[in-house]
Amino acid sequence: FFKRGYSRENLELNFNILRLILKIGNESEFIRSIVQIQSSEIASQITSLSMLERLFRENVFSLWNTSEMGSLFQYVMNSSYSDNYDVRFCAMSVLIKFLVSSYRQLCLERLVEMIDNEPYKNKVGMLYRLRYDNLDDPKVKYIFDKGKSDSHYWVRVAANSIFETKE
């Protein structure tokens, strides 16, 4: 917790997530901590989204109920519209983790918007994170097709190299 970006809000969010995992917390405290993170400094927002991505990787949210996941999804989706591109990058990473949930279509719709408007670093990150997804899905295919025809060299390289390995 000595990492730069941790704040009181981050610690409260982590604590409330832990309480929900252990089934001793309530959702209203969790939502309150999400609201506090959204109004905190950029570093705290980035840290919280990075932590959520790590928790997804560890399959921590598999036992959460629909309401709790909905609150978490709303936070991540809202963060994907941030003015700060680093926050949007972290939110995009978490949205990709949501692709295995009932929010798949909403995530893909947002990712399609993002591939059209993000800086090249965010596009490259998105393409690399989507490389294991189903390329038969029309929206995923669209994202890769957009990447293959992007004006930035590194985006085209990422889209083409990933696409070639899947064929």
Side-chain angles (χ1 to χ4, degrees), residues 66 69 73 98-107:
T66 305
M69 286 303 288
F73 177 74
F98 267 104
L99 288 177
V100 297
S101 72
S102 61
Y103 299 103
R104 179 177 175 82
Q105 290 307 313
L106 291 171
C107 292

Side-chain angles (χ1 to χ4, degrees), residues 3-134:
K3 181 181 174 186
R4 196 178 108 218
Y6 269 98
S7 63
R8 177 186 169 104
E9 291 86 7
N10 289 104
L11 295 175
E12 282 185 29
L13 178 63
N14 292 346
F15 180 68
N16 286 317
I17 288 173
L18 176 64
R19 289 174 46 109
L20 285 174
I21 291 168
L22 297 174
K23 306 290 185 201
I24 58 173
N26 67 43
E27 191 177 353
S28 62
E29 289 296 315
F30 172 64
I31 291 171
R32 185 180 59 73
S33 58
I34 286 175
V35 170
Q36 288 176 339
I37 283 287
Q38 287 178 320
S39 61
S40 67
E41 294 188 15
I42 297 297
S44 293
Q45 293 176 38
I46 291 170
T47 302
S48 70
L49 289 165
S50 297
M51 183 264 314
L52 290 175
E53 183 181 14
R54 283 192 305 273
L55 292 175
F56 262 106
R57 247 184 282 137
E58 298 299 324
N59 208 22
V60 168
F61 300 114
S62 62
L63 301 175
W64 276 30
N65 67 41
T66 305
S67 177
E68 294 163 346
M69 286 303 288
S71 300
L72 187 62
F73 177 74
Q74 286 178 327
Y75 164 58
V76 174
M77 184 64 87
N78 188 46
S79 297
S80 76
Y81 288 97
S82 172
D83 291 336
N84 184 284
Y85 74 89
D86 289 323
V87 172
R88 289 193 314 270
F89 180 88
C90 292
M92 173 270 302
S93 296
V94 179
L95 280 177
I96 289 173
K97 300 293 184 191
F98 267 104
L99 288 177
V100 297
S101 72
S102 61
Y103 299 103
R104 179 177 175 82
Q105 290 307 313
L106 291 171
C107 292
L108 285 173
E109 288 171 15
R110 179 62 185 131
L111 294 172
V112 164
E113 290 174 24
M114 293 177 90
I115 197 69
D116 289 331
N117 302 312
E118 288 298 311
Y120 84 93
K121 290 179 183 179
N122 290 13
K123 292 178 183 181
V124 169
M126 179 188 306
L127 292 167
Y128 277 109
R129 282 165 177 76
L130 278 174
R131 70 183 178 261
Y132 297 117
D133 204 271
N134 180 7

